[in-house]
Amino acid sequence: MPARTSWIPYALIAPSVIFLGALFLVPLVQTIWLSFSAGDGFSLENYQRMAGDLNFSLAVRNTFLLTLVVVPLQVVLALAMATMVTKLDRGRDLALWVLTIPLGISDLAAGLAWLALLQNTGYLNSALYALGLIQGPVGWLSQETPWALFFAIVLAELWRATAIVLVILIAGLQLIPKEFSEAAEIFGAKPWTRFMRITLPLLKPSLQSALILRTVLAFEVFAVVYALGGRNFPVLAGEAYVWQNDNQNYGVAAAYAVLIMAISLAATAVYLRVLRTRPEQLP
Amino acid sequence: MADIVIDRVVKEFGTFRALQGVSLTVNDGEFVALLGPSGCGKTTLLRIIAGLETQTSGRVVIGGQDVSNLAPRKRGLAMVFQNYAVFPHMTVFENVAFGLRMQKAQQEEVKRKVERAAALLHIESYLDRYPAKLSGGQRQRVAVARALAVEPAVLLMDEPLSNLDALLRLEMRTELKAVLREAGTTTIYVTHDQTEAMGLADRIAVMYGGKIDQIGSPLEIYATPATRFVGGFIGSPPMNFIKVRCSQGMARIGDATLPCPATGKDMELGLRGEDASLAPNGSGIPFDIRVVEPMGSHLLLTGSIDGQPARIVAPPIAKVNAGERVGLTVDPARVTWIDSITGRAIARA
Ligand SMILES: Nc1ncnc2c1ncn2[C@@H]1O[C@H](COP(=O)(O)OP(=O)(O)O)[C@@H](O)[C@H]1O
Ligand SMILES: [Mg+2]
């Protein structure tokens, strides 16, 4: 390569760098700075206020609970669906298309759709009433029924965001040559053994991507929770929203944002380490 | 007992017929080579025997049991894949051990059998490496070792030595033959390399265009090809085919005559280059030499007989030059007569 062309790569990535810098890095630095400033100069006051709030420990607990329940369920569901979809001879594209429709729906709209199903006068209660199973409207999403509310949120999140895991896993499955599974079968491996000993290990890179993406997004869960339960089920992103808009306290809101980011980064680091594929084990 | 009976197997991919009614019987302990050019359906047939592909019609019987609709793992066989299919996330040891692990063999037995197979294929020193660190030839040997380690009754191999360099291939070939004979393994060995097939097999099945053209011992296939394709595919140089007119049981080529089957059909003389010898005084079938290639063990002469291209093998010390016309004598018992229309050999009277 002649030396004078060496600036070309930099010129080519410059627009994205500027874009990222303006719309991501600057707000990021601003947010971090905001979270650490109160009155004048550096202070942990915002974090103290955040941690001292009544809803804080609840929000932390709920967010982790949701993530720990939703993400593994999504991975298992997506694995099952991906395995079935890739086995289809005909109509594979159609099946995939239908399964990914929820991806095209915004999370708030998804939350509202599930609200229409589950609220006091919703379709679920109407159906149960028509079947004679209940005498009148039952509140599923109230503070008095925290487990029903939790279950509803889990359901809505599964419906809304499993497809992204599915898409990543199907792409990953298609990268695995079928001969590996065939060889295992010839040498006596039953379907479950083939899945555990061949498919799953070879799918690790895709599983890693899907897990990182889904976990980070799960820690930011907000719109679905807000639509279904309002503040009856506090989560971290929801608290950030409340502090920003209702309390007009940008410092504490920034502290929540930074906390969510720190948790996401930590989770990503864990996945990168635990699910790493050594280069010599790549196909 | 693990004999294999393939009975009128047809395989269609959409509208394309990859196998057009293939029948083949492999006896218990026999080594049969499936030999044919690329794309003739060898891999497809092997995958149907293994159960990885479902035949459109026909049956596969192994050891007296109809396995046509049985899952691969229930057919009691091992296979070497054309593209190896060595598991990338397992060490060479675990790859070779895979079949034994599936059989829930004791660790001690696993170790013993893996080491034995590894020694045979000269891969002992890579046992704790991952396949990505190995060359194509080394991976191929891992695939063969994995199949041998389970000591199968039936072994299917799809071009298992294709990626080895010439010397190693020769050595592996000999060892493979000895081991499989000793173990009495019924083997189907797919190859497009005729020397490999000739050297290894008890019998060779020559495939062409989704059909088996001929099944027989290497010598039979070589000496009495059943079709023009088999004659042209086996042997180096390939058999020459010279169009001649046969009248009243005699074919005339130049000044020479050769007895021919009196069928009244258009026919071709199938003549192996090494079955013709140079006549001492230029008498016999006239052969115009165009190129002389000294091959060490022999001279390869390229030229024409009666205006039709031909290749003849001559002794290394023969005094011949390009541009010369020489005479050839031919043993009438060693030629093949081919029906020009059907391409099949005409039965000897
Ligand atoms: N899955 C498939 N779908 C469609 N055509 C196939 C498939 N597998 C093989 N074929 C076709 O069948 C023919 C035989 O293939 P194959 O058995 O692999 O040949 P060989 O192993 O003798 O080289 C080829 O023309 C190939 O293109
Ligand atoms: Mg092939």
Side-chain angles (χ1 to χ4, degrees):
Chain A
M1 268 289 137
R4 68 176 179 285
T5 61
S6 62
W7 57 269
I8 288 182
Y10 297 100
L12 288 175
I13 61 164
S16 352
V17 169
I18 293 167
F19 192 80
L20 260 180
L23 296 175
F24 180 74
L25 276 179
V26 170
L28 178 70
V29 172
Q30 276 179 339
T31 305
I32 295 175
W33 182 75
L34 189 62
S35 75
F36 283 110
S37 54
D40 36 23
F42 179 88
S43 128
L44 288 174
E45 200 187 311
N46 288 324
Y47 287 92
Q48 281 154 358
R49 236 177 125 180
M50 170 178 84
D53 187 64
L54 258 180
N55 268 347
F56 175 73
S57 57
L58 216 51
V60 171
R61 193 203 70 174
N62 285 346
T63 306
F64 271 88
L65 197 61
L66 256 185
T67 306
L68 288 176
V69 170
V70 168
V71 174
L73 275 176
Q74 283 180 326
V75 169
V76 171
L77 277 175
L79 268 175
M81 293 193 306
T83 312
M84 285 188 273
V85 168
T86 46
K87 285 237 160 64
L88 289 178
D89 284 334
R90 230 170 306 177
R92 219 174 86 189
D93 291 345
L94 182 70
L96 188 57
W97 184 72
V98 171
L99 288 173
T100 51
I101 286 176
L103 277 187
I105 296 170
S106 87
D107 46 358
L108 186 58
L112 293 174
W114 280 89
L115 181 67
L117 283 171
L118 300 174
Q119 67 187 335
N120 290 5
T121 54
Y123 297 107
L124 178 67
N125 278 344
S126 307
L128 291 176
Y129 184 72
L131 289 170
L133 294 173
I134 53 173
Q135 310 310 321
V138 180
W140 302 107
L141 307 174
S142 70
Q143 223 160 356
E144 288 76 54
T145 54
W147 287 108
L149 176 58
F150 176 70
F151 185 72
I153 294 170
V154 168
L155 210 60
E157 276 294 287
L158 288 183
W159 178 82
R160 185 183 71 80
T162 303
I164 186 69
V165 186
L166 176 69
V167 170
I168 295 172
L169 293 187
I170 284 184
L173 279 176
Q174 283 169 343
L175 288 178
I176 305 175
K178 67 179 185 342
E179 279 82 4
F180 293 135
S181 198
E182 287 179 348
E185 183 170 15
I186 291 273
F187 288 104
K190 297 192 178 112
W192 180 248
T193 314
R194 293 204 293 278
F195 180 74
M196 294 304 289
R197 303 260 333 238
I198 308 293
T199 310
L200 214 49
L202 292 177
L203 199 57
K204 212 160 74 176
S206 308
L207 275 173
Q208 188 188 49
S209 311
L211 275 168
I212 289 175
L213 188 65
R214 260 317 295 152
T215 306
V216 166
L217 290 175
F219 281 125
E220 293 171 4
V221 68
F222 171 55
V224 167
V225 176
Y226 205 68
L228 284 175
R231 263 188 110 184
N232 289 342
F233 191 85
V235 288
L236 288 173
E239 290 310 297
Y241 176 80
V242 169
W243 280 96
Q244 173 94 2
N245 285 302
D246 300 356
N247 303 354
Q248 299 277 319
N249 188 327
Y250 304 139
V252 177
Y256 269 105
V258 171
L259 176 65
I260 294 172
M261 190 181 69
I263 293 171
S264 299
L265 286 176
T268 305
V270 169
Y271 284 131
L272 286 177
R273 174 132 198 92
V274 173
L275 289 177
R276 78 185 179 289
T277 308
R278 290 153 69 185
E280 68 265 29
Q281 293 186 21
L282 285 171
Chain B
M1 283 295 283
D3 54 329
I4 306 169
V5 179
I6 299 154
D7 183 21
R8 286 164 294 170
V9 164
V10 173
K11 177 65 185 178
E12 287 167 357
F13 294 110
T15 57
F16 175 70
R17 252 186 181 219
L19 296 176
Q20 336 217 11
V22 171
S23 293
L24 171 68
T25 301
V26 182
N27 300 318
D28 183 39
E30 194 181 19
F31 193 125
V32 166
L34 272 182
L35 175 64
S38 194
C40 71
K42 306 182 297 290
T43 297
T44 305
L45 182 57
L46 212 62
R47 288 173 59 84
I48 286 175
I49 299 169
L52 296 171
E53 208 86 62
T54 314
Q55 64 279 11
T56 307
S57 69
R59 291 187 318 146
V60 178
V61 180
I62 298 178
Q65 188 193 7
D66 188 337
V67 297
S68 307
N69 299 308
L70 224 52
R73 72 190 146 83
K74 295 185 179 149
R75 297 191 180 197
L77 43 78
M79 180 163 169
V80 180
F81 287 71
Q82 183 163 11
N83 48 7
Y84 330 141
V86 168
F87 307 127
H89 59 295
M90 297 181 194
T91 60
V92 169
F93 184 97
E94 281 309 318
N95 263 285
V96 178
F98 190 84
L100 298 164
R101 296 251 190 258
M102 291 301 115
Q103 295 169 0
K104 308 239 183 318
Q106 298 295 316
Q107 178 62 23
E108 214 172 293
E109 185 191 350
V110 171
K111 200 161 178 295
R112 184 164 47 81
K113 290 187 171 172
V114 167
E115 273 163 9
R116 182 158 173 254
L120 202 69
L121 275 302
H122 302 336
I123 51 170
E124 312 98 307
S125 48
Y126 325 128
L127 278 176
D128 48 11
R129 286 203 215 165
Y130 284 94
K133 297 265 159 169
L134 304 181
S135 72
Q138 290 166 335
R139 273 184 240 185
Q140 200 159 32
R141 282 182 278 155
V142 175
V144 175
R146 179 174 64 184
L148 290 182
V150 294
E151 296 168 4
V154 172
L155 177 57
L156 309 176
M157 294 196 270
D158 199 348
E159 316 215 1
L161 306 181
S162 60
N163 240 314
L164 306 188
D165 53 50
L167 265 181
L168 192 57
R169 179 155 57 199
L170 198 64
E171 185 186 344
M172 292 283 119
R173 202 159 88 192
T174 326
E175 292 192 14
L176 212 51
K177 183 168 180 166
V179 169
L180 294 174
R181 167 139 315 157
E182 196 183 322
T185 310
T186 310
T187 308
I188 300 185
Y189 186 102
V190 163
T191 177
H192 63 258
D193 178 347
Q194 49 159 317
T195 40
E196 213 167 273
M198 301 282 253
L200 279 169
D202 299 321
R203 285 191 303 150
I204 298 175
V206 185
M207 279 189 80
Y208 179 58
K211 284 196 297 258
I212 293 183
D213 262 20
Q214 187 173 7
I215 307 171
S217 71
L219 215 60
E220 275 166 14
I221 300 255
Y222 179 81
T224 54
T227 63
R228 189 198 285 122
F229 171 76
V230 174
F233 191 69
I234 308 277
S236 172
M239 190 173 246
N240 301 297
F241 297 101
I242 315 290
K243 285 201 180 62
V244 295
R245 229 194 337 275
C246 178
S247 60
Q248 284 147 14
M250 272 302 173
R252 171 166 290 281
I253 310 161
D255 301 332
T257 56
L258 206 62
C260 59
T263 59
K265 292 180 194 160
D266 281 345
M267 59 179 71
E268 289 165 25
L269 165 66
L271 173 65
R272 290 233 173 257
E274 51 273 44
D275 286 342
S277 44
L278 301 176
N281 47 10
S283 65
I285 299 171
F287 176 57
D288 297 307
I289 303 173
R290 209 156 53 79
V291 178
V292 178
E293 293 171 75
M295 309 300 283
S297 63
H298 61 268
L299 293 180
L300 179 60
L301 312 179
T302 307
S304 57
I305 294 173
D306 201 17
Q308 301 171 60
R311 285 208 174 89
I312 298 298
V313 173
I317 44 147
K319 299 253 177 304
V320 288
N321 298 300
E324 246 176 13
R325 168 174 283 200
V326 295
L328 301 176
T329 49
V330 171
D331 178 356
R334 303 195 59 160
V335 303
T336 303
W337 294 96
I338 304 279
D339 183 329
S340 288
I341 311 286
T342 64
R344 312 208 120 257
I346 298 167
R348 279 150 206 267

